[in-house]
Amino acid sequence: MLLLFVCLILGMLVARFAKPPAGIVPSINWWVLNVALPVLALELIPKVQFDPQLWFPVAAIGLTFGGAWLSFGLLGPRLGWSRERTGALILVCGLGNTAYMGYPLMQALHGKAGLALAVVADQIGTFPVLASAGIVVASIYSGRTPSPRLIVRRIVTFPAFIALVIGLIAGRFGGWPEWLDGVFGPIGATLTPLALFSVGLQFRFHPGGRQLAAAGWGLGWKLLLAPLLCWVMGTAAGIGGLVLVVGVLQAAMAPMVSAAILADEYGLEPALANTVLGAGIVLSLVTIPLGNLLLGG
């Protein structure tokens, strides 16, 4: 946990005082998304012992996004929100930071076993939802028409998704040789410090009076109500142990950085999206460990 705080605060200090070179954030994110994350998937996925309960972390991600879409889609018009505000909250409060923050937090709390389950939730749950339903929501609420071809192409060409498929195949054949695991490990280990450093570099929190109420609704769903509903779903279905804990905590993760970027690209009230993102990151550093204790993790 200390590593997470140090990397996050270091990124914030560097952004504030050190004048980092232009393009540092896209460069770090490129490494994390296109090298560290795929290599981590190659290392961990073959070691995951698949059982019938693994549907739960994926379903929890879907429930979180679907619930946000339904809730804010109904609530927005009643509170007088613009379509842009409604779309922004669906994106950033329906999608969690299950990679940049979820991986290091789950590793800190539950070791490699928790990290492996976090990868499953992120790669089979969060990323396909972002690349499909996320694009649909962004298009609808910005007045554009979503392209099915673009959605499919984004999913099948994403490096981590390709690594996930390769890892599944490798797992069926007994995994990688030990010497190759020794290569994957150090490269994949760069994800945690660089991801949190990148989040710190991008951290912004400039709430306006008109944003606070909407941000409160959004974070109330993302950090409290959604994980509670996921816990109810899991316990009702007989899910237990680490699968239940990691599934609920991934659903409770802070809003997703990529979702805020997507909201910005589609003109969905970027100021609100970044406010919710910044506040959610800070609050989740408290709510995730607290939720872990309540779940008996």
Side-chain angles (χ1 to χ4, degrees), residues 248-259:
V248 172
L249 293 181
Q250 282 288 64
M253 206 57 63
M256 183 191 242
V257 175
S258 298

Side-chain angles (χ1 to χ4, degrees), residues 29-174:
N29 289 349
W30 186 93
W31 171 269
V32 168
L33 290 174
N34 294 285
V35 180
L37 181 55
V39 169
L40 189 64
L42 288 174
E43 178 194 10
L44 295 178
I45 290 299
K47 301 173 184 176
V48 174
Q49 298 297 317
F50 284 91
D51 63 61
Q53 291 195 347
L54 282 184
W55 65 266
F56 172 70
V58 178
I61 300 299
L63 175 61
T64 302
F65 186 83
W69 193 348
L70 177 63
S71 300
F72 299 133
L74 295 174
L75 189 63
R78 289 166 173 75
L79 294 178
W81 293 348
S82 65
R83 290 180 61 81
E84 290 78 11
R85 170 163 291 191
T86 301
L89 286 178
I90 293 171
L91 286 177
V92 295
C93 298
L95 291 162
N97 205 334
T98 52
Y100 281 15
M101 297 197 70
Y103 289 0
L105 279 169
M106 292 305 97
Q107 184 174 23
L109 294 171
H110 296 289
K112 282 293 184 73
L115 178 58
L117 291 172
V119 172
V120 172
D122 177 67
Q123 288 299 296
I124 305 180
T126 302
F127 173 70
V129 172
L130 170 68
S132 55
I135 298 294
V136 171
V137 166
S139 300
I140 290 173
Y141 284 89
S142 64
R144 307 184 194 180
T145 302
S147 168
R149 180 178 298 179
L150 174 63
I151 292 170
V152 173
R153 186 169 63 212
R154 287 188 65 164
I155 293 174
V156 300
T157 61
F158 189 58
F161 181 79
I162 297 172
L164 174 68
V165 175
I166 295 173
L168 290 172
I169 296 171
R172 296 284 292 178
F173 289 93

Side-chain angles (χ1 to χ4, degrees), residues 178-202:
E178 186 175 344
W179 64 268
L180 195 53
D181 257 347
V183 174
F184 289 154
I187 297 175
T190 63
L191 183 142
T192 294
L194 288 179
L196 269 296
F197 182 70
S198 175
V199 170
L201 286 172
Q202 300 171 79

